[in-house]
Each structure stands twice: as C-alpha cells, then as structure tokens.
Amino acid sequence: MLVTTLSEVPGYRIAKVLGVVKGNTVRATHFGKDFLAGLRQIVGGELKEYTEMLANARAEAERRMLEEAARLGANAIVNVRFVSGNITANAAEILVYGTAVVVEPDSHGG
C-alpha cells in the first residue's frame, strides 16, 4: 500500500477514488510512567514516556486506516494527515485519515 501526504503518487495516475479512510485510537499513560514524566518535567528533557505512547498510538491508528483502505480494495492512500487532541489530562486521541484510491502506473512517464 502506497501512503503519501501528497495529493497524487508520482509516476502513477489515480484510476479510482474509493473514499475517505481513517483510523484512530485513544491512549492514556500508566500511573508509573506519568509519575516519571512528572519528575522529568522538573529537571527538563524529553518526556520519553509520552513520546513512546504517542508513537505507539500513531502506529496503531495508521494500521487501522490501512486495514480500512485494504477492505475497500485500495492500493494507495493520498492526502494523509495526522491529528491529535487531548481527551482528558492524561489521555490523547490520535486520528489519521486520507483518501483511499486505486493507482495505476502513469503510461506517460510521470
């Protein structure tokens, strides 16, 4: 599956638009990780506990979007965007969305 933030895939033409696909997840930190992150805020530095949580959430949301696109018969997703927001003080939602399409090699060379 080709995935791009562009509106087209270089070297391919969009043969069919299948519609918007999305994936999301809401993640909360574990109390212990929250505590460690709170300590790190006092001394400064990267909040690795949150970085890891958000990276895992992005990967899960993207996996869900890819599964939805595959069910539609897509071989590419264009205009992909990630959005995040706070649900509560300790939980965040990650949403990824794009347009599922069928692309074919561009016979005109690009």
Side-chain angles (χ1 to χ4, degrees), residues 3-4 12-13 29 48 60 70 76 79-80 82 85 88 99 107 110:
V3 178
T4 182
Y12 293 83
R13 67 175 189 80
T29 56
K48 294 178 183 178
E60 178 64 22
N79 288 320
V80 172
F82 282 88
T88 68
T99 303
S107 61

Side-chain angles (χ1 to χ4, degrees), residues 7-78:
S7 60
E8 56 189 38
V9 181
Y12 293 83
R13 67 175 189 80
I14 294 175
K16 187 175 185 181
V17 175
L18 301 172
V20 174
V21 289
K22 61 199 166 307
N24 75 314
T25 186
V26 176
R27 297 289 173 103
T29 56
H30 178 276
F31 174 75
K33 289 185 177 187
D34 243 5
F35 180 74
L36 290 172
L39 291 176
R40 195 166 284 116
Q41 283 181 313
I42 295 170
V43 298
E46 180 181 3
L47 302 177
K48 294 178 183 178
E49 296 78 15
Y50 295 138
T51 300
E52 180 182 325
M53 177 193 71
L54 290 172
N56 290 337
R58 279 191 299 273
E60 178 64 22
E62 187 172 4
R63 183 187 65 75
R64 291 175 180 176
M65 178 187 68
L66 290 167
E67 286 177 354
E68 185 177 338
R71 280 192 302 273
L72 294 175
N75 64 357
I77 307 171
V78 296

